[in-house]
Amino acid sequence: MAQPSVILATASYDHTIRFWEAKSGRCYRTIQYPDSQVNRLEITPDKRFLAAAGNPHIRLFDVNSNSPQPVISYDSHTSNVMAVGFHCDGNWMYSGSEDGTVRIWDLRTATCQREYESRAAVNTVVLHPNQKELISGDQNGNIRMWDLAANSCSCELVPEVDTAVRSLTVMWDGSMVVAANNRGTCYVWRLLKGTQTITCFEPLHKLQAHDGYILKCLLSPEFCDPNRYLATASSDSTVKIWNVDGFKLERTLVGHQRWIWDCVFSVDGAYLITASSDTTARLWTMSTGEAIRVYQGHHKATVCCALHDGAESAPS
């Protein structure tokens, strides 16, 4: 079976995962996921597998198969898995859970190799582009940097006490990190190399982006340069696009009827896909801010999406 050049997947509270043709909007495969809701989707760097983070497991599905069964299951979390992602060469996977832990997994054997205690429900985890540090954000408002070489927490920040950190994003070159919280605020830090190898946070900006929750924040990818953007998806049913140079509002994406839970850029940053409580996902063109495709098929809230377009071109 030929590997699709663009892989778009969405998951919903209707207990299904759907695969779509990004250009046409046609759903070509549906996987039933009866065990739990799916909180997060991520596609492996080689495009072969889709990870679905549920409660309390992570399941890996073969992208190029029609089998409804997962290839492998990762089972040592004890509550909702809220974050999942992969090392750039696909050797290992990381996850964060409401059980208060961040974990690293051997992909092949499905064993948990490391466990870090956050002491509060983990909502978001990102991997630094250096592939050597994980950054987590939790329900109590803590942001922690985990040094994988030293196997310890190298830095701890609390931008707002008792205000949940909902989403984290790191610039592709490792120069900046953004944390979004339940009060609609984004905190921005420069990431600086410290005296040793440890990365240090230097406060750069505080952005009051929305009145409601920010459910996802996302910095634009490398091929978007020299333009650099921050997308913030909110419970106010909008996505706002900010120019990182001065954090000026470039445009507001309006069209969804309810909360926007997730968003993902195309590899060139020219398009954005969003997932919403209104049951749909949408494809937006960044140049005009228009929705040029609506993905309809779920019958409950669409809460996460994953895109791997793999080349430097995107759906048109």
Side-chain angles (χ1 to χ4, degrees), residues 155-225:
C155 177
E156 202 166 314
L157 296 167
V158 188
E160 247 178 282
V161 177
D162 290 335
T163 303
V165 175
R166 182 62 54 196
S167 183
L168 289 163
T169 179
V170 185
M171 188 61 83
W172 63 268
D173 60 2
S175 62
M176 178 188 296
V177 64
V178 182
N181 72 17
N182 272 358
R183 291 191 176 149
T185 311
C186 287
Y187 288 87
V188 187
W189 293 270
R190 275 198 194 92
L191 289 180
L192 307 170
K193 270 281 168 239
T195 46
Q196 288 85 35
T197 55
I198 294 168
T199 301
C200 301
F201 290 72
E202 179 188 89
L204 179 65
H205 195 76
K206 180 182 175 183
L207 175 69
Q208 191 56 49
H210 297 266
D211 292 333
Y213 297 142
I214 299 175
L215 299 163
K216 180 71 177 276
C217 63
L218 191 62
L219 287 160
S220 56
E222 177 178 1
F223 297 116
C224 195
D225 269 18

Side-chain angles (χ1 to χ4, degrees), residues 118-132:
S118 187
R119 300 188 299 279
V122 175
N123 293 323
T124 176
V125 183
V126 288
L127 178 61
H128 190 290
N130 65 20
Q131 307 292 304
K132 295 171 182 166

Side-chain angles (χ1 to χ4, degrees), residues 30-171:
T30 303
I31 297 171
Q32 301 298 322
Y33 202 96
D35 297 358
S36 78
Q37 70 195 54
V38 176
N39 303 304
R40 187 66 57 203
L41 292 172
E42 195 71 34
I43 298 162
T44 55
D46 63 8
K47 287 192 188 180
R48 289 182 59 203
F49 301 103
L50 175 77
N55 185 5
H57 41 250
I58 304 161
R59 301 265 161 81
L60 213 60
F61 293 92
D62 189 332
V63 165
N64 299 307
S65 151
N66 282 321
S67 168
Q69 299 305 318
V71 179
I72 200 164
S73 187
Y74 304 84
D75 290 325
S76 63
H77 280 301
T78 57
S79 187
N80 266 311
V81 182
M82 302 303 290
V84 65
F86 298 95
H87 184 258
C88 64
D89 64 9
N91 278 348
W92 46 266
M93 178 174 73
Y94 62 87
S95 62
S97 166
E98 288 180 347
D99 65 14
T101 67
V102 174
R103 292 173 190 251
I104 291 177
W105 306 81
D106 183 306
L107 270 179
R108 289 172 213 72
T109 63
T111 52
C112 176
Q113 295 179 312
R114 297 191 191 174
E115 179 182 326
Y116 301 112
E117 288 284 344
S118 187
R119 300 188 299 279
V122 175
N123 293 323
T124 176
V125 183
V126 288
L127 178 61
H128 190 290
N130 65 20
Q131 307 292 304
K132 295 171 182 166
E133 294 166 301
L134 286 171
I135 312 171
S136 66
D138 70 28
Q139 195 65 18
N140 290 357
N142 304 298
I143 296 168
R144 292 189 175 90
M145 180 80 88
W146 306 96
D147 181 335
L148 303 183
N151 208 20
S152 65
C153 178
S154 61
C155 177
E156 202 166 314
L157 296 167
V158 188
E160 247 178 282
V161 177
D162 290 335
T163 303
V165 175
R166 182 62 54 196
S167 183
L168 289 163
T169 179
V170 185
M171 188 61 83

